[in-house]
Amino acid sequence: EPEVTQTPSHQVTQMGQEVILRCVPISNHLYFYWYRQILGQKVEFLVSFYNNEISEKSEIFDDQFSVERPDGSNFTLKIRSTKLEDSAMYFCASRGEGSNQPQHFGDGTRLSIL
Amino acid sequence: GDSVTQMEGPVTLSEEAFLTINCTYTATGYPSLFWYVQYPGEGLQLLLKATKADDKGSNKGFEATYRKETTSFHLEKGSVQVSDSAVYFCAHASNTGGFKTIFGAGTRLFVKA
């Protein structure tokens, strides 16, 4: 069964540095998402992306965050200047066409900001 | 606004016990409903789904029925196993915008041998 893959599995970065989290969604999916989960807390929506543009974003997704689909397969989340509170597990997800389709999640990237 | 409320954990059960994890939602219209499971150290896996009222989703012995009248989607399993120990998230898909998934806070389940 096709799956969403994320790299790296764990990223350790100094505060203030830029970080890029990478995702390869399922190949025929059209909607792409990023979520984050701070340790022990709920999964929070960050952003959705469709047709090469952001379709919705949360208040968490401020100017420090950006997403990009640089080619036909990758979907990236960039944090320009990381803060301690950005430490979390970041999940990428994708879904196919149709409002009833579930999202398929990757295994996540654990981001640790020092 | 749209939200999902599920029972707080942790829930601790003995093997072969009956499991219920309550979940209620608020949403515009009639969203699709999901249960996701997160095993220790792993990502989110879709456990089951229901797309319309009275649908029953089922997988691996787990079941949940879409109850429009009570806006609920309670997760049940007749006989839990140690391997079911995980965090369970109730969720629904927004009907608007980018169809984001809205998650409950998660319920941690411990099953003892």
mmCIF file of all heavy atoms in Angstrom, chain A residues 22-62:
data_model
loop_
_atom_site.group_PDB
_atom_site.id
_atom_site.type_symbol
_atom_site.label_atom_id
_atom_site.label_comp_id
_atom_site.label_asym_id
_atom_site.label_seq_id
_atom_site.Cartn_x
_atom_site.Cartn_y
_atom_site.Cartn_z
ATOM 1 N N ARG A 22 10.856 17.547 5.090
ATOM 2 C CA ARG A 22 10.498 17.054 3.763
ATOM 3 C C ARG A 22 9.476 15.932 3.823
ATOM 4 O O ARG A 22 9.470 15.124 4.753
ATOM 5 C CB ARG A 22 11.751 16.587 3.033
ATOM 6 C CG ARG A 22 12.801 17.661 2.910
ATOM 7 C CD ARG A 22 14.033 17.215 2.166
ATOM 8 N NE ARG A 22 15.078 18.231 2.309
ATOM 9 C CZ ARG A 22 15.139 19.356 1.596
ATOM 10 N NH1 ARG A 22 14.233 19.591 0.676
ATOM 11 N NH2 ARG A 22 16.112 20.222 1.789
ATOM 12 N N CYS A 23 8.660 15.887 2.802
ATOM 13 C CA CYS A 23 7.578 14.908 2.733
ATOM 14 C C CYS A 23 7.405 14.490 1.281
ATOM 15 O O CYS A 23 7.491 15.322 0.367
ATOM 16 C CB CYS A 23 6.290 15.542 3.259
ATOM 17 S SG CYS A 23 4.785 14.590 2.994
ATOM 18 N N VAL A 24 7.159 13.205 1.087
ATOM 19 C CA VAL A 24 6.751 12.716 -0.230
ATOM 20 C C VAL A 24 5.346 12.152 -0.071
ATOM 21 O O VAL A 24 5.159 11.085 0.524
ATOM 22 C CB VAL A 24 7.707 11.641 -0.775
ATOM 23 C CG1 VAL A 24 7.214 11.150 -2.138
ATOM 24 C CG2 VAL A 24 9.116 12.196 -0.889
ATOM 25 N N PRO A 25 4.343 12.880 -0.553
ATOM 26 C CA PRO A 25 2.960 12.399 -0.424
ATOM 27 C C PRO A 25 2.707 11.194 -1.334
ATOM 28 O O PRO A 25 3.543 10.844 -2.169
ATOM 29 C CB PRO A 25 2.136 13.605 -0.874
ATOM 30 C CG PRO A 25 3.064 14.764 -0.864
ATOM 31 C CD PRO A 25 4.414 14.211 -1.134
ATOM 32 N N ILE A 26 1.559 10.597 -1.185
ATOM 33 C CA ILE A 26 1.144 9.510 -2.071
ATOM 34 C C ILE A 26 0.955 10.085 -3.468
ATOM 35 O O ILE A 26 0.372 11.161 -3.639
ATOM 36 C CB ILE A 26 -0.133 8.836 -1.532
ATOM 37 C CG1 ILE A 26 0.206 8.141 -0.206
ATOM 38 C CG2 ILE A 26 -0.710 7.848 -2.536
ATOM 39 C CD1 ILE A 26 -0.988 7.573 0.532
ATOM 40 N N SER A 27 1.408 9.346 -4.477
ATOM 41 C CA SER A 27 1.647 9.940 -5.789
ATOM 42 C C SER A 27 0.405 10.502 -6.471
ATOM 43 O O SER A 27 0.491 11.497 -7.167
ATOM 44 C CB SER A 27 2.319 8.920 -6.708
ATOM 45 O OG SER A 27 1.457 7.817 -6.898
ATOM 46 N N ASN A 28 -0.754 9.938 -6.316
ATOM 47 C CA ASN A 28 -1.922 10.464 -7.029
ATOM 48 C C ASN A 28 -2.788 11.367 -6.151
ATOM 49 O O ASN A 28 -3.914 11.718 -6.529
ATOM 50 C CB ASN A 28 -2.760 9.319 -7.600
ATOM 51 C CG ASN A 28 -3.307 8.412 -6.517
ATOM 52 O OD1 ASN A 28 -2.864 8.477 -5.370
ATOM 53 N ND2 ASN A 28 -4.259 7.576 -6.868
ATOM 54 N N HIS A 29 -2.279 11.744 -4.999
ATOM 55 C CA HIS A 29 -3.027 12.631 -4.113
ATOM 56 C C HIS A 29 -2.861 14.080 -4.539
ATOM 57 O O HIS A 29 -1.833 14.460 -5.115
ATOM 58 C CB HIS A 29 -2.569 12.438 -2.666
ATOM 59 C CG HIS A 29 -3.145 11.207 -2.061
ATOM 60 N ND1 HIS A 29 -2.942 10.881 -0.740
ATOM 61 C CD2 HIS A 29 -3.922 10.218 -2.566
ATOM 62 C CE1 HIS A 29 -3.575 9.745 -0.464
ATOM 63 N NE2 HIS A 29 -4.173 9.331 -1.569
ATOM 64 N N LEU A 30 -3.880 14.891 -4.212
ATOM 65 C CA LEU A 30 -3.900 16.276 -4.667
ATOM 66 C C LEU A 30 -3.893 17.285 -3.526
ATOM 67 O O LEU A 30 -3.624 18.461 -3.755
ATOM 68 C CB LEU A 30 -5.142 16.513 -5.529
ATOM 69 C CG LEU A 30 -5.273 15.622 -6.765
ATOM 70 C CD1 LEU A 30 -6.597 15.897 -7.465
ATOM 71 C CD2 LEU A 30 -4.110 15.869 -7.726
ATOM 72 N N TYR A 31 -4.239 16.842 -2.324
ATOM 73 C CA TYR A 31 -4.292 17.737 -1.175
ATOM 74 C C TYR A 31 -3.161 17.354 -0.226
ATOM 75 O O TYR A 31 -2.961 16.171 0.065
ATOM 76 C CB TYR A 31 -5.625 17.596 -0.440
ATOM 77 C CG TYR A 31 -6.836 18.027 -1.236
ATOM 78 C CD1 TYR A 31 -7.446 17.158 -2.130
ATOM 79 C CD2 TYR A 31 -7.378 19.299 -1.077
ATOM 80 C CE1 TYR A 31 -8.558 17.546 -2.850
ATOM 81 C CE2 TYR A 31 -8.499 19.695 -1.788
ATOM 82 C CZ TYR A 31 -9.084 18.809 -2.672
ATOM 83 O OH TYR A 31 -10.189 19.199 -3.389
ATOM 84 N N PHE A 32 -2.483 18.354 0.281
ATOM 85 C CA PHE A 32 -1.328 18.109 1.143
ATOM 86 C C PHE A 32 -1.446 18.963 2.391
ATOM 87 O O PHE A 32 -1.981 20.081 2.346
ATOM 88 C CB PHE A 32 -0.031 18.432 0.386
ATOM 89 C CG PHE A 32 0.015 17.843 -0.987
ATOM 90 C CD1 PHE A 32 -0.035 18.652 -2.109
ATOM 91 C CD2 PHE A 32 0.073 16.474 -1.163
ATOM 92 C CE1 PHE A 32 -0.024 18.111 -3.382
ATOM 93 C CE2 PHE A 32 0.087 15.923 -2.443
ATOM 94 C CZ PHE A 32 0.038 16.741 -3.553
ATOM 95 N N TYR A 33 -0.930 18.429 3.495
ATOM 96 C CA TYR A 33 -1.132 19.069 4.798
ATOM 97 C C TYR A 33 0.112 18.928 5.666
ATOM 98 O O TYR A 33 0.870 17.965 5.532
ATOM 99 C CB TYR A 33 -2.293 18.387 5.547
ATOM 100 C CG TYR A 33 -3.587 18.312 4.789
ATOM 101 C CD1 TYR A 33 -3.818 17.289 3.867
ATOM 102 C CD2 TYR A 33 -4.578 19.262 4.982
ATOM 103 C CE1 TYR A 33 -5.001 17.216 3.168
ATOM 104 C CE2 TYR A 33 -5.771 19.202 4.281
ATOM 105 C CZ TYR A 33 -5.973 18.173 3.374
ATOM 106 O OH TYR A 33 -7.162 18.112 2.676
ATOM 107 N N TRP A 34 0.236 19.866 6.570
ATOM 108 C CA TRP A 34 1.176 19.740 7.675
ATOM 109 C C TRP A 34 0.414 19.938 8.980
ATOM 110 O O TRP A 34 -0.436 20.841 9.087
ATOM 111 C CB TRP A 34 2.311 20.759 7.594
ATOM 112 C CG TRP A 34 3.346 20.419 6.577
ATOM 113 C CD1 TRP A 34 3.479 20.930 5.320
ATOM 114 C CD2 TRP A 34 4.416 19.469 6.722
ATOM 115 N NE1 TRP A 34 4.556 20.364 4.687
ATOM 116 C CE2 TRP A 34 5.144 19.471 5.514
ATOM 117 C CE3 TRP A 34 4.841 18.633 7.758
ATOM 118 C CZ2 TRP A 34 6.273 18.659 5.308
ATOM 119 C CZ3 TRP A 34 5.947 17.834 7.559
ATOM 120 C CH2 TRP A 34 6.652 17.848 6.350
ATOM 121 N N TYR A 35 0.753 19.083 9.948
ATOM 122 C CA TYR A 35 0.228 19.172 11.298
ATOM 123 C C TYR A 35 1.406 19.111 12.254
ATOM 124 O O TYR A 35 2.485 18.631 11.894
ATOM 125 C CB TYR A 35 -0.696 17.996 11.613
ATOM 126 C CG TYR A 35 -1.960 17.938 10.802
ATOM 127 C CD1 TYR A 35 -1.958 17.425 9.508
ATOM 128 C CD2 TYR A 35 -3.161 18.392 11.325
ATOM 129 C CE1 TYR A 35 -3.112 17.377 8.761
ATOM 130 C CE2 TYR A 35 -4.337 18.342 10.586
ATOM 131 C CZ TYR A 35 -4.300 17.822 9.313
ATOM 132 O OH TYR A 35 -5.459 17.766 8.571
ATOM 133 N N ARG A 36 1.181 19.562 13.482
ATOM 134 C CA ARG A 36 2.213 19.358 14.481
ATOM 135 C C ARG A 36 1.579 18.835 15.765
ATOM 136 O O ARG A 36 0.389 19.046 16.037
ATOM 137 C CB ARG A 36 2.986 20.654 14.759
ATOM 138 C CG ARG A 36 2.275 21.609 15.664
ATOM 139 C CD ARG A 36 3.153 22.751 16.084
ATOM 140 N NE ARG A 36 2.460 23.566 17.080
ATOM 141 C CZ ARG A 36 2.869 24.763 17.480
ATOM 142 N NH1 ARG A 36 3.976 25.285 16.968
ATOM 143 N NH2 ARG A 36 2.196 25.424 18.386
ATOM 144 N N GLN A 37 2.408 18.147 16.540
ATOM 145 C CA GLN A 37 1.966 17.599 17.814
ATOM 146 C C GLN A 37 3.060 17.870 18.834
ATOM 147 O O GLN A 37 4.108 17.214 18.809
ATOM 148 C CB GLN A 37 1.685 16.104 17.695
ATOM 149 C CG GLN A 37 1.141 15.473 18.964
ATOM 150 C CD GLN A 37 0.943 13.979 18.819
ATOM 151 O OE1 GLN A 37 1.649 13.307 18.084
ATOM 152 N NE2 GLN A 37 -0.038 13.439 19.533
ATOM 153 N N ILE A 38 2.828 18.846 19.680
ATOM 154 C CA ILE A 38 3.744 19.078 20.790
ATOM 155 C C ILE A 38 3.621 17.900 21.745
ATOM 156 O O ILE A 38 2.520 17.360 21.932
ATOM 157 C CB ILE A 38 3.429 20.415 21.478
ATOM 158 C CG1 ILE A 38 3.702 21.565 20.495
ATOM 159 C CG2 ILE A 38 4.245 20.589 22.745
ATOM 160 C CD1 ILE A 38 3.242 22.917 20.974
ATOM 161 N N LEU A 39 4.722 17.504 22.353
ATOM 162 C CA LEU A 39 4.774 16.287 23.158
ATOM 163 C C LEU A 39 3.624 16.216 24.151
ATOM 164 O O LEU A 39 3.427 17.137 24.956
ATOM 165 C CB LEU A 39 6.111 16.220 23.893
ATOM 166 C CG LEU A 39 6.378 14.938 24.675
ATOM 167 C CD1 LEU A 39 6.449 13.745 23.740
ATOM 168 C CD2 LEU A 39 7.661 15.063 25.485
ATOM 169 N N GLY A 40 2.844 15.140 24.046
ATOM 170 C CA GLY A 40 1.759 14.913 24.985
ATOM 171 C C GLY A 40 0.497 15.698 24.712
ATOM 172 O O GLY A 40 -0.463 15.604 25.477
ATOM 173 N N GLN A 41 0.492 16.462 23.620
ATOM 174 C CA GLN A 41 -0.667 17.295 23.325
ATOM 175 C C GLN A 41 -1.387 16.825 22.062
ATOM 176 O O GLN A 41 -1.013 15.835 21.453
ATOM 177 C CB GLN A 41 -0.236 18.754 23.210
ATOM 178 C CG GLN A 41 0.357 19.310 24.503
ATOM 179 C CD GLN A 41 0.641 20.785 24.432
ATOM 180 O OE1 GLN A 41 0.032 21.519 23.655
ATOM 181 N NE2 GLN A 41 1.565 21.248 25.257
ATOM 182 N N LYS A 42 -2.407 17.569 21.703
ATOM 183 C CA LYS A 42 -3.214 17.134 20.565
ATOM 184 C C LYS A 42 -2.529 17.470 19.245
ATOM 185 O O LYS A 42 -1.604 18.280 19.190
ATOM 186 C CB LYS A 42 -4.597 17.757 20.627
ATOM 187 C CG LYS A 42 -4.643 19.237 20.367
ATOM 188 C CD LYS A 42 -6.010 19.832 20.684
ATOM 189 C CE LYS A 42 -7.127 19.249 19.867
ATOM 190 N NZ LYS A 42 -8.430 19.870 20.178
ATOM 191 N N VAL A 43 -3.001 16.846 18.193
ATOM 192 C CA VAL A 43 -2.497 17.112 16.854
ATOM 193 C C VAL A 43 -3.163 18.389 16.344
ATOM 194 O O VAL A 43 -4.388 18.496 16.324
ATOM 195 C CB VAL A 43 -2.819 15.929 15.920
ATOM 196 C CG1 VAL A 43 -2.311 16.207 14.520
ATOM 197 C CG2 VAL A 43 -2.210 14.638 16.464
ATOM 198 N N GLU A 44 -2.339 19.349 15.927
ATOM 199 C CA GLU A 44 -2.848 20.659 15.509
ATOM 200 C C GLU A 44 -2.605 20.879 14.019
ATOM 201 O O GLU A 44 -1.500 20.640 13.509
ATOM 202 C CB GLU A 44 -2.120 21.772 16.271
ATOM 203 C CG GLU A 44 -2.266 21.705 17.776
ATOM 204 C CD GLU A 44 -1.391 22.733 18.458
ATOM 205 O OE1 GLU A 44 -0.147 22.599 18.390
ATOM 206 O OE2 GLU A 44 -1.950 23.690 19.046
ATOM 207 N N PHE A 45 -3.602 21.381 13.340
ATOM 208 C CA PHE A 45 -3.498 21.706 11.925
ATOM 209 C C PHE A 45 -2.610 22.926 11.728
ATOM 210 O O PHE A 45 -2.718 23.911 12.460
ATOM 211 C CB PHE A 45 -4.906 21.974 11.389
ATOM 212 C CG PHE A 45 -4.952 22.602 10.034
ATOM 213 C CD1 PHE A 45 -4.676 21.856 8.897
ATOM 214 C CD2 PHE A 45 -5.262 23.944 9.892
ATOM 215 C CE1 PHE A 45 -4.740 22.446 7.636
ATOM 216 C CE2 PHE A 45 -5.325 24.530 8.648
ATOM 217 C CZ PHE A 45 -5.063 23.784 7.510
ATOM 218 N N LEU A 46 -1.737 22.855 10.739
ATOM 219 C CA LEU A 46 -0.922 24.004 10.376
ATOM 220 C C LEU A 46 -1.381 24.618 9.054
ATOM 221 O O LEU A 46 -1.695 25.804 8.978
ATOM 222 C CB LEU A 46 0.556 23.607 10.250
ATOM 223 C CG LEU A 46 1.281 23.196 11.516
ATOM 224 C CD1 LEU A 46 2.718 22.805 11.199
ATOM 225 C CD2 LEU A 46 1.261 24.313 12.536
ATOM 226 N N VAL A 47 -1.410 23.784 8.009
ATOM 227 C CA VAL A 47 -1.650 24.340 6.678
ATOM 228 C C VAL A 47 -2.127 23.255 5.733
ATOM 229 O O VAL A 47 -1.782 22.080 5.891
ATOM 230 C CB VAL A 47 -0.344 24.992 6.144
ATOM 231 C CG1 VAL A 47 0.735 23.933 5.929
ATOM 232 C CG2 VAL A 47 -0.565 25.803 4.891
ATOM 233 N N SER A 48 -2.952 23.659 4.783
ATOM 234 C CA SER A 48 -3.337 22.766 3.689
ATOM 235 C C SER A 48 -2.933 23.415 2.371
ATOM 236 O O SER A 48 -2.885 24.641 2.243
ATOM 237 C CB SER A 48 -4.835 22.469 3.711
ATOM 238 O OG SER A 48 -5.592 23.663 3.591
ATOM 239 N N PHE A 49 -2.662 22.567 1.391
ATOM 240 C CA PHE A 49 -2.084 23.023 0.127
ATOM 241 C C PHE A 49 -2.742 22.261 -0.997
ATOM 242 O O PHE A 49 -2.821 21.025 -0.967
ATOM 243 C CB PHE A 49 -0.576 22.723 0.167
ATOM 244 C CG PHE A 49 0.249 23.348 -0.918
ATOM 245 C CD1 PHE A 49 0.742 24.631 -0.768
ATOM 246 C CD2 PHE A 49 0.582 22.637 -2.062
ATOM 247 C CE1 PHE A 49 1.547 25.207 -1.743
ATOM 248 C CE2 PHE A 49 1.372 23.205 -3.047
ATOM 249 C CZ PHE A 49 1.864 24.482 -2.879
ATOM 250 N N TYR A 50 -3.241 23.005 -1.982
ATOM 251 C CA TYR A 50 -3.927 22.373 -3.114
ATOM 252 C C TYR A 50 -3.711 23.219 -4.348
ATOM 253 O O TYR A 50 -3.760 24.447 -4.282
ATOM 254 C CB TYR A 50 -5.428 22.245 -2.803
ATOM 255 C CG TYR A 50 -6.275 21.778 -3.957
ATOM 256 C CD1 TYR A 50 -6.207 20.451 -4.392
ATOM 257 C CD2 TYR A 50 -7.126 22.648 -4.637
ATOM 258 C CE1 TYR A 50 -6.973 20.007 -5.453
ATOM 259 C CE2 TYR A 50 -7.889 22.221 -5.696
ATOM 260 C CZ TYR A 50 -7.825 20.896 -6.102
ATOM 261 O OH TYR A 50 -8.584 20.454 -7.157
ATOM 262 N N ASN A 51 -3.480 22.580 -5.442
ATOM 263 C CA ASN A 51 -3.323 23.284 -6.714
ATOM 264 C C ASN A 51 -2.231 24.346 -6.614
ATOM 265 O O ASN A 51 -2.395 25.478 -7.093
ATOM 266 C CB ASN A 51 -4.666 23.909 -7.122
ATOM 267 C CG ASN A 51 -4.740 24.218 -8.597
ATOM 268 O OD1 ASN A 51 -4.057 23.611 -9.412
ATOM 269 N ND2 ASN A 51 -5.556 25.199 -8.942
ATOM 270 N N ASN A 52 -1.154 23.973 -5.971
ATOM 271 C CA ASN A 52 0.041 24.812 -5.860
ATOM 272 C C ASN A 52 -0.143 26.087 -5.063
ATOM 273 O O ASN A 52 0.607 27.065 -5.266
ATOM 274 C CB ASN A 52 0.590 25.161 -7.243
ATOM 275 C CG ASN A 52 1.315 23.980 -7.863
ATOM 276 O OD1 ASN A 52 2.032 23.250 -7.187
ATOM 277 N ND2 ASN A 52 1.122 23.794 -9.148
ATOM 278 N N GLU A 53 -1.125 26.081 -4.180
ATOM 279 C CA GLU A 53 -1.248 27.226 -3.297
ATOM 280 C C GLU A 53 -1.856 26.812 -1.966
ATOM 281 O O GLU A 53 -2.500 25.765 -1.865
ATOM 282 C CB GLU A 53 -2.077 28.336 -3.936
ATOM 283 C CG GLU A 53 -3.506 27.951 -4.277
ATOM 284 C CD GLU A 53 -4.229 29.097 -4.961
ATOM 285 O OE1 GLU A 53 -3.568 29.984 -5.538
ATOM 286 O OE2 GLU A 53 -5.469 29.108 -4.911
ATOM 287 N N ILE A 54 -1.628 27.645 -0.971
ATOM 288 C CA ILE A 54 -2.202 27.384 0.344
ATOM 289 C C ILE A 54 -3.709 27.587 0.277
ATOM 290 O O ILE A 54 -4.183 28.625 -0.185
ATOM 291 C CB ILE A 54 -1.572 28.321 1.391
ATOM 292 C CG1 ILE A 54 -0.112 27.944 1.634
ATOM 293 C CG2 ILE A 54 -2.354 28.271 2.702
ATOM 294 C CD1 ILE A 54 0.638 28.916 2.531
ATOM 295 N N SER A 55 -4.469 26.585 0.724
ATOM 296 C CA SER A 55 -5.919 26.706 0.728
ATOM 297 C C SER A 55 -6.449 27.107 2.102
ATOM 298 O O SER A 55 -7.522 27.695 2.208
ATOM 299 C CB SER A 55 -6.587 25.409 0.262
ATOM 300 O OG SER A 55 -6.063 24.295 0.953
ATOM 301 N N GLU A 56 -5.715 26.788 3.135
ATOM 302 C CA GLU A 56 -6.112 27.187 4.479
ATOM 303 C C GLU A 56 -4.895 27.107 5.389
ATOM 304 O O GLU A 56 -4.023 26.262 5.183
ATOM 305 C CB GLU A 56 -7.219 26.263 5.007
ATOM 306 C CG GLU A 56 -7.843 26.696 6.312
ATOM 307 C CD GLU A 56 -9.026 25.827 6.722
ATOM 308 O OE1 GLU A 56 -9.389 24.903 5.969
ATOM 309 O OE2 GLU A 56 -9.575 26.080 7.807
ATOM 310 N N LYS A 57 -4.835 27.984 6.379
ATOM 311 C CA LYS A 57 -3.760 27.919 7.359
ATOM 312 C C LYS A 57 -4.288 28.328 8.717
ATOM 313 O O LYS A 57 -5.266 29.065 8.828
ATOM 314 C CB LYS A 57 -2.576 28.791 6.956
ATOM 315 C CG LYS A 57 -2.907 30.269 6.833
ATOM 316 C CD LYS A 57 -1.678 31.046 6.361
ATOM 317 C CE LYS A 57 -2.011 32.531 6.244
ATOM 318 N NZ LYS A 57 -0.820 33.320 5.810
ATOM 319 N N SER A 58 -3.637 27.829 9.757
ATOM 320 C CA SER A 58 -4.051 28.150 11.112
ATOM 321 C C SER A 58 -3.267 29.355 11.624
ATOM 322 O O SER A 58 -2.319 29.820 10.985
ATOM 323 C CB SER A 58 -3.821 26.952 12.027
ATOM 324 O OG SER A 58 -2.440 26.777 12.259
ATOM 325 N N GLU A 59 -3.661 29.795 12.806
ATOM 326 C CA GLU A 59 -2.976 30.946 13.405
ATOM 327 C C GLU A 59 -1.540 30.591 13.804
ATOM 328 O O GLU A 59 -0.706 31.484 13.985
ATOM 329 C CB GLU A 59 -3.768 31.464 14.609
ATOM 330 C CG GLU A 59 -3.940 30.493 15.742
ATOM 331 C CD GLU A 59 -5.124 29.571 15.560
ATOM 332 O OE1 GLU A 59 -5.706 29.538 14.454
ATOM 333 O OE2 GLU A 59 -5.456 28.845 16.519
ATOM 334 N N ILE A 60 -1.258 29.308 13.930
ATOM 335 C CA ILE A 60 0.102 28.877 14.240
ATOM 336 C C ILE A 60 1.033 29.154 13.057
ATOM 337 O O ILE A 60 2.210 29.482 13.227
ATOM 338 C CB ILE A 60 0.135 27.363 14.550
ATOM 339 C CG1 ILE A 60 -0.790 27.032 15.713
ATOM 340 C CG2 ILE A 60 1.553 26.899 14.843
ATOM 341 C CD1 ILE A 60 -1.008 25.547 15.885
ATOM 342 N N PHE A 61 0.499 29.046 11.885
ATOM 343 C CA PHE A 61 1.277 29.166 10.643
ATOM 344 C C PHE A 61 1.511 30.640 10.353
ATOM 345 O O PHE A 61 0.837 31.254 9.526
ATOM 346 C CB PHE A 61 0.521 28.482 9.509
ATOM 347 C CG PHE A 61 1.354 28.235 8.280
ATOM 348 C CD1 PHE A 61 2.093 27.071 8.155
ATOM 349 C CD2 PHE A 61 1.381 29.150 7.240
ATOM 350 C CE1 PHE A 61 2.846 26.829 7.017
ATOM 351 C CE2 PHE A 61 2.138 28.918 6.098
ATOM 352 C CZ PHE A 61 2.866 27.756 5.988
ATOM 353 N N ASP A 62 2.495 31.227 11.048
ATOM 354 C CA ASP A 62 2.763 32.654 10.870
ATOM 355 C C ASP A 62 3.844 32.856 9.805
ATOM 356 O O ASP A 62 4.171 31.933 9.051
ATOM 357 C CB ASP A 62 3.148 33.283 12.214
ATOM 358 C CG ASP A 62 4.418 32.672 12.810
ATOM 359 O OD1 ASP A 62 5.212 32.068 12.055
ATOM 360 O OD2 ASP A 62 4.601 32.793 14.037
#
